[in-house]
Amino acid sequence: AQTVTQSQPEMSVQEAETVTLSCTYDTSENNYYLFWYKQPPSRQMILVIRQEAYKQQNATENRFSVNFQKAAKSFSLKISDSQLGDTAMYFCASYLWGDGNKLVFGAGTILRVKS
Amino acid sequence: DAGVTQSPTHLIKTRGQQVTLRCSPKSGHDTVSWYQQALGQGPQFIFQYYEEEERQRGNFPDRFSGHQFPNYSSELNVNALLLGDSALYLCASSLYGFGEKLFFGSGTQLSVL
């Protein structure tokens, strides 16, 4: 079974600064994907970034990048040049082929960007 | 191109009642998954439908059931509602075999009084 743990219930950052959200996961398999989703007050679940476990290179999407440490089972999200619109709940999630083909989510981290 | 649409957006029911939530997948998608998101928690997988059959199921009681129609749209039914069923219900669609590329709807907020 998969588990995903986000140990930071809340984080805050000043506008234009950098913040890192932490995530650890537990799976014994090799073929999986990891994700960060953003959920603003609109409740829409928005994909921020995706990482294939077989790729050693860390994924990046504009101001968003990850630090994927496979051996440590760690998958942190770095947001650079934080913007007020980044204020949201952020979820880390894993997807394991063969394990029900479902996403397993962490409990989430509330990120507040302050002006 | 419409994304995943869910209806209704909000719903209020009383304990013991039954509820039906609806989802239309993104154009071109044939697989629908349902998730329950309790307040302050991450979504939890309920079940997945493909070719009008339930393919996978999470740890939810039989009070939760679903259906998929030939046009790939789906319904989630919950019988004998409990207070603990109050949550945001998210629908997600994908192409079968590409479950890592999920698109989510905005959800239905269910309140059970």
Side-chain angles (χ1 to χ4, degrees), chain B residues 60-105:
Chain B
F60 280 81
D62 292 345
R63 297 188 297 107
F64 290 76
S65 63
H67 189 78
Q68 186 180 34
F69 299 93
N71 66 353
Y72 307 120
S73 66
S74 176
E75 289 182 348
L76 164 65
N77 300 293
V78 187
N79 295 323
L81 284 167
L82 304 174
L83 296 179
D85 295 331
S86 295
L88 179 68
Y89 288 85
L90 293 166
C91 171
S93 73
S94 64
L95 197 58
Y96 190 73
F98 293 88
E100 78 280 10
K101 297 182 180 179
L102 281 181
F103 287 79
F104 283 87

Side-chain angles (χ1 to χ4, degrees), chain A residues 33-53:
Chain A
Y33 297 82
L34 298 169
F35 307 84
W36 279 98
Y37 281 91
K38 170 185 177 181
Q39 189 178 43
S42 67
R43 307 175 310 179
Q44 180 80 44
M45 196 70 78
I46 301 166
L47 178 65
V48 175
I49 201 164
R50 185 179 86 161
Q51 175 80 42
E52 291 90 339

